[in-house]
Amino acid sequence: MKTVKYFLLARFIRLFLQFGFLFAVLAIVLSILIRVFGLKPYIKGDDWSFGDAREGYALPAGLSMNIPDTIVYYNNGEHRVYKDDLLPFKYELTAKDTISEKIINRFEVFDTKGIEVSSRLYVPSSVSVVVKSNNWKHNLFWAISSQVHYIVTALFFLVLIKLTNRYMDNEIFEQRSFKLVASLGWLLIGNEVFNFVVSMVNGSILQHPSLHSASLMHSKAYSYLDINLDFFNGFSFTNIGLGILIILLAEVLRIAIFAKQENQLTI
């Protein structure tokens, strides 16, 4: 059998994919053992630790932040917060002798003048938030959903390993190879549909948490920094579109190769 091009590179890629598959399977086994037997998910030494010492379940969430532009404190104990303004210095107060403190927050552009940057921030990708609940139903749901993610990751690596093997055996342009490519697209779509369902459930459980800060020594509350979490935002339409594109591409290649083989047989 003739050796395919980039055979050594393919072997290296397969080895990398095999390590990824074993890591995903190991994560599934360890997660089950930790939840069933109540083991600690980390190892801690004198001055080092390995693993995640936080208790709870890591959930994806959207993050938005709004920093106040101007905070004005008065001598009588009152304060005023101004938000969503690009020019925080525009507030000119007449009774300046009653002001005890005035705090200005703004992003400064040093290289280019005349540019204003809004203090309202939004993270387009999901962040990981650790949550825990006293309700066993919530914990069971989060434990099962995390296992499904590990299983999908393991299946993704497994399909890629099979495709690499078929390439190394010079069998990549056969019917089964295109089915494997299409299965990658279906895995992406199925995973995002599952993420959508999980996001709806997480959103109904957690709603839209916002950061609340308060002093334990005084009656003053420090709630000027608005940080909100959106647990409805745990899925990606981009991955669904990518999955559909992979399925269509696999079908187009399959039809093209089949037509080429038919023409060769006719000649």
Side-chain angles (χ1 to χ4, degrees):
M1 180 181 296
K2 184 180 178 180
T3 304
V4 298
K5 294 179 63 176
Y6 311 112
F7 184 81
L8 294 178
L9 178 60
R11 290 186 62 179
F12 176 78
I13 293 175
R14 184 180 64 178
L15 181 63
F16 173 78
L17 294 174
Q18 288 172 342
F19 274 114
F21 175 76
L22 291 177
F23 181 80
V25 173
L26 182 62
I28 295 173
V29 175
L30 289 178
S31 180
I32 293 176
L33 292 177
I34 289 171
R35 302 304 176 187
V36 172
F37 297 100
L39 304 177
K40 293 183 178 180
Y42 62 93
I43 302 175
K44 187 175 182 180
D46 295 334
D47 55 352
W48 60 273
S49 63
F50 177 77
D52 194 351
R54 299 174 298 176
E55 296 182 1
Y57 300 87
L59 304 181
L63 176 64
S64 61
M65 182 185 305
N66 189 12
I67 304 173
D69 297 307
T70 308
I71 305 175
V72 180
Y73 293 93
Y74 299 93
N75 291 324
N76 59 4
E78 297 180 356
H79 66 275
R80 179 176 291 181
V81 179
Y82 301 94
K83 301 179 181 180
D84 302 328
D85 293 294
L86 294 176
L87 296 176
F89 292 105
K90 72 180 182 179
Y91 296 103
E92 297 294 338
L93 303 176
T94 55
K96 294 184 178 180
D97 56 335
T98 63
I99 300 175
S100 62
E101 183 70 37
K102 184 176 182 180
I103 300 174
I104 303 297
N105 300 313
R106 68 172 181 176
F107 291 101
E108 293 186 355
V109 182
F110 296 98
D111 295 335
T112 307
K113 303 301 180 181
I115 298 179
E116 301 165 354
V117 181
S118 173
S119 59
R120 177 178 288 273
L121 308 176
Y122 177 73
V123 180
S125 59
S126 297
V127 298
S128 179
V129 181
V130 176
V131 300
K132 59 181 179 179
S133 174
N134 294 327
N135 191 330
W136 67 270
K137 295 180 181 179
H138 299 164
N139 295 327
L140 179 61
F141 174 77
W142 293 330
I144 294 175
S145 60
S146 64
Q147 293 301 319
V148 171
H149 290 306
Y150 286 132
I151 293 174
V152 171
T153 302
L155 290 175
F156 203 86
F157 278 114
L158 184 61
V159 173
L160 290 176
I161 291 172
K162 290 184 176 181
L163 281 172
T164 306
N165 289 334
R166 297 190 69 82
Y167 172 80
M168 296 172 63
D169 295 335
N170 204 13
E171 298 176 351
I172 192 66
F173 294 109
E174 293 186 2
Q175 186 77 13
R176 181 168 174 79
S177 299
F178 299 114
K179 291 182 179 180
L180 289 174
V181 174
S183 66
L184 292 177
W186 287 114
L187 278 175
L188 283 175
I189 295 174
N191 185 55
E192 291 308 319
V193 171
F194 178 77
N195 289 339
F196 175 79
V197 176
V198 171
S199 297
M200 293 300 103
V201 177
N202 288 338
S204 63
I205 295 174
L206 299 165
Q207 300 297 324
H208 295 276
S210 58
L211 180 65
H212 291 271
S213 302
S215 173
L216 298 178
M217 305 299 295
H218 307 282
S219 59
K220 182 185 293 184
Y222 302 89
S223 58
Y224 309 133
L225 181 62
D226 291 339
I227 300 179
N228 299 286
L229 295 173
D230 181 12
F231 286 93
F232 289 97
N233 189 25
F235 59 94
S236 173
F237 287 109
T238 303
N239 288 338
I240 294 179
L242 182 61
I244 295 174
L245 182 62
I246 291 175
I247 294 173
L248 294 177
L249 181 61
E251 182 64 19
V252 169
L253 290 176
R254 185 190 68 81
I255 295 174
I257 295 299
F258 180 78
K260 182 179 178 181
Q261 293 176 349
E262 287 290 328
N263 291 333
Q264 289 177 349
L265 292 175
T266 302
I267 295 174

